[in-house]
Amino acid sequence: MSELQGFFFWGFLIAFGAIMYAVAPRSDDEGGFFRGHDNQGRPASEWALMMSIFISWIFAKSVTNAANLGASYGIVGGLAYAAYWLSIPLAGVVIYRLRTREGATGLVPFLIGKYGRGAALAFSAAILIRLFNEVWSNTAVVGGYYGESGSFNFIASALLFTAAVLFYSLKGGLRSSIFSDVIQAVVFVLFVIVVLAFVLPAHSAGELLGQGTFALNSGLDLLLVALLQVLSYPFHDPVLTDRGFITREKTMLRAFVVAGVLGFAAIFAFSLIGVHAQLTGIKPGSNIPAEVARGLNFAGFFSMLVVMVSSAGSTLDSTFTSLSKLVARELPLLAGRLPSAKAMTIGSLTMVSFALLGNLPMLAGTDILKATTISGTMVIGLAPIFLLSRWVIYSPASFHLAFWTGIGLGILLAMNLIPASWAIGDGKYAILLGTNLYGLVLCTAGFCLPVVLGRHRLAASGNVA
């Protein structure tokens, strides 16, 4: 990259932040800052909500992981990662039921009422970790287009990008996040089309779709992991679930279903960048899109950068707003208190704190795929907690037996302590697949045990037929 091109790329990051700050609406009250309402108190439109869900779940790390897996396993890898987007329609259906049949106004209040404050506290800690991971895993992707991991350019660009997103997020909270998401979604789609136009004509459709084998040692194991984790994965992501409570129920459900379908298609399409890399002999690595982009001309490389910045920006601003809502409005509920009158100030300070702390793993250099697979295993216990909640009146024990079983298995997996006998197949993700399958069975059994024992005791005492 020439010096002039370098100035252009750095100027783009500055311009991105300046433009987003200029166009993002300001929120003067909590309705706008935490719920995305406009100045007249109206919620986001169905179209805006759909676009916001679509782009805020197209993380920069997601498109990077999709391409990386496409390079490793062909279309099987792309399908494996795209399968996570089935989480969105599932979440929409579950949240619709929680709102219409159980009167839920949010996941934390729902958990307090159904499983107790201890359950809500454990859940809140889990999503704090999730949101923490979203900061560094997205800023690191942007940094990869400016320099090698750990280099000055890598770190400086990641921090500059963080600051750009932070400033416009502070201006309007969730309202500015949804507004900017619409812009970023349009930009993302347009530049993905440009990138694909640069790359894919080098191969026929048959070549691209013919890469990959549906076998456990060729990526099918990861596809099965994704399908298992879909049952729990969406519920520990407030970037997604917060948007399930800000509009009318049917509006929300339609937006979630359409956003999920579009997200699946977009991620699979981008995974073909990785298939192209495989066909051209580029070795699989941690940032295949950046490797492919370096082989393009200036316009192609810049288009790839725009794709990453638009996807990372939409996720990062949503992460900041979810963090502010969790800390300022939901954590006080755990102590039995109403949110502070200074909730917006507390929320803003939370954004600033996580903008700083959340980049520490990026500085240390961490594999971004681990932010998905390991955390996804840790929360497999959320599947029965939300999917089977209609059969529970009040059971803290059900929550804790399911939740902590999943957390324990996730920790053992991260420490490579899962026994080899749990492996399913002999592929790279054999242990991961076994842990998720057997773990889901254990979590579900743990959830059901107190319910079954409770009914048995009632039957024994003669209180039920």
Side-chain angles (χ1 to χ4, degrees):
M1 186 183 299
S2 69
E3 185 175 349
L4 179 61
Q5 291 173 339
F7 279 121
F8 180 82
F9 273 70
W10 285 97
F12 167 70
L13 274 186
I14 296 171
F16 165 78
I19 293 172
M20 286 293 100
Y21 185 86
V23 301
R26 183 180 300 278
S27 293
D28 297 320
D29 56 37
E30 294 187 11
F33 199 83
F34 294 115
R35 296 182 58 80
H37 294 174
D38 63 17
N39 289 335
Q40 285 73 47
R42 295 172 298 193
S45 68
E46 181 177 333
W47 183 80
L49 180 63
M50 181 271 292
M51 295 289 277
S52 180
I53 295 168
F54 163 73
I55 192 61
S56 62
W57 242 55
I58 303 286
F59 320 131
K61 71 179 178 68
S62 297
V63 289
T64 300
N65 285 337
N68 291 349
L69 290 168
S72 297
Y73 302 110
I75 63 165
V76 181
L79 286 172
Y81 209 72
Y84 278 102
W85 271 254
L86 300 176
S87 297
I88 300 178
L90 176 71
V93 170
V94 173
I95 292 173
Y96 180 85
R97 178 179 61 79
L98 295 181
R99 292 181 62 182
T100 57
R101 296 190 180 182
E102 304 199 45
T105 58
L107 294 191
V108 170
F110 164 76
L111 289 170
I112 292 174
K114 181 71 70 169
Y115 303 110
R117 283 195 170 86
L121 178 61
F123 174 78
S124 297
I127 62 176
L128 273 174
I129 294 171
R130 158 76 182 195
L131 292 171
F132 175 84
N133 282 337
E134 288 307 323
V135 177
W136 65 264
S137 59
N138 282 280
T139 61
V141 171
V142 173
Y145 287 80
Y146 287 81
E148 295 296 325
S149 179
S151 68
F152 173 80
N153 284 352
F154 173 88
I155 294 172
S157 58
L159 294 179
L160 176 59
F161 169 71
T162 303
V165 176
L166 175 64
F167 285 138
Y168 76 77
S169 299
L170 289 170
K171 182 180 179 183
L174 185 57
R175 184 186 177 197
S176 66
S177 175
I178 293 175
F179 181 88
S180 62
D181 283 348
V182 174
I183 298 173
Q184 289 161 344
V186 173
V187 171
F188 172 83
V189 171
L190 290 176
F191 277 87
V192 162
I193 292 172
V194 171
V195 169
L196 293 176
F198 271 106
V199 172
L200 300 190
H203 316 284
S204 68
E207 282 183 297
L208 291 168
L209 299 179
Q211 291 297 111
T213 303
F214 284 89
L216 286 176
N217 61 357
S218 300
L220 180 59
D221 48 3
L222 184 59
L223 173 57
L224 295 176
V225 168
L227 293 175
L228 289 170
Q229 291 190 351
V230 157
L231 300 175
S232 56
Y233 194 80
F235 304 116
H236 86 306
D237 185 10
V239 165
L240 176 64
T241 57
D242 281 353
R243 285 161 170 74
F245 294 91
I246 61 175
T247 60
R248 295 173 58 187
E249 291 89 346
K250 289 186 178 179
T251 298
M252 175 276 299
L253 182 57
R254 288 192 296 267
F256 269 59
V257 171
V258 174
V261 172
L262 292 177
F264 181 96
I267 288 296
F268 179 72
F270 200 85
S271 74
L272 297 179
I273 298 294
V275 179
H276 159 79
Q278 186 183 81
L279 288 169
T280 54
I282 297 176
K283 293 181 179 180
S286 62
N287 198 339
I288 284 295
E291 293 298 323
V292 171
R294 292 187 180 99
L296 303 176
N297 57 27
F298 176 76
F301 189 94
F302 177 71
S303 297
M304 189 78 82
L305 175 65
V306 173
V307 167
M308 294 302 167
V309 169
S310 59
S311 59
S314 64
T315 301
L316 192 57
D317 63 42
S318 298
T319 298
F320 286 148
T321 56
S322 292
L323 280 164
S324 69
K325 179 173 180 276
L326 175 64
V327 173
R329 291 191 59 83
E330 295 185 336
L331 290 187
L333 297 177
L334 300 179
R337 301 198 308 264
L338 292 175
S340 168
K342 297 182 178 180
M344 288 178 62
T345 300
I346 295 171
S348 297
L349 292 174
T350 300
M351 291 186 193
V352 174
S353 299
F354 273 84
L356 298 173
L357 298 175
N359 273 307
L360 294 180
M362 179 272 297
L363 299 176
T366 305
D367 181 2
I368 59 173
L369 183 57
K370 292 180 180 178
T372 298
T373 56
I374 298 299
S375 67
T377 301
M378 287 184 173
V379 298
I380 54 175
L382 293 179
I385 288 168
F386 287 101
L387 299 181
L388 305 181
S389 64
R390 63 186 298 181
W391 289 283
V392 175
I393 298 175
Y394 180 78
S395 181
S398 290
F399 175 94
H400 290 291
L401 285 173
F403 181 80
W404 293 110
T405 297
I407 292 292
L409 290 171
I411 292 173
L412 291 175
L413 180 65
M415 298 174 66
N416 297 315
L417 295 178
I418 298 294
S421 59
W422 280 38
I424 297 177
D426 58 358
K428 180 179 179 180
Y429 302 101
I431 288 289
L432 182 65
L433 175 57
T435 303
N436 278 267
L437 178 59
Y438 303 138
L440 184 59
V441 172
L442 290 173
C443 290
T444 303
F447 178 86
C448 294
L449 182 61
V451 178
V452 172
L453 290 177
R455 290 180 178 175
H456 178 73
R457 285 195 295 268
L458 286 173
S461 66
N463 290 330
V464 296

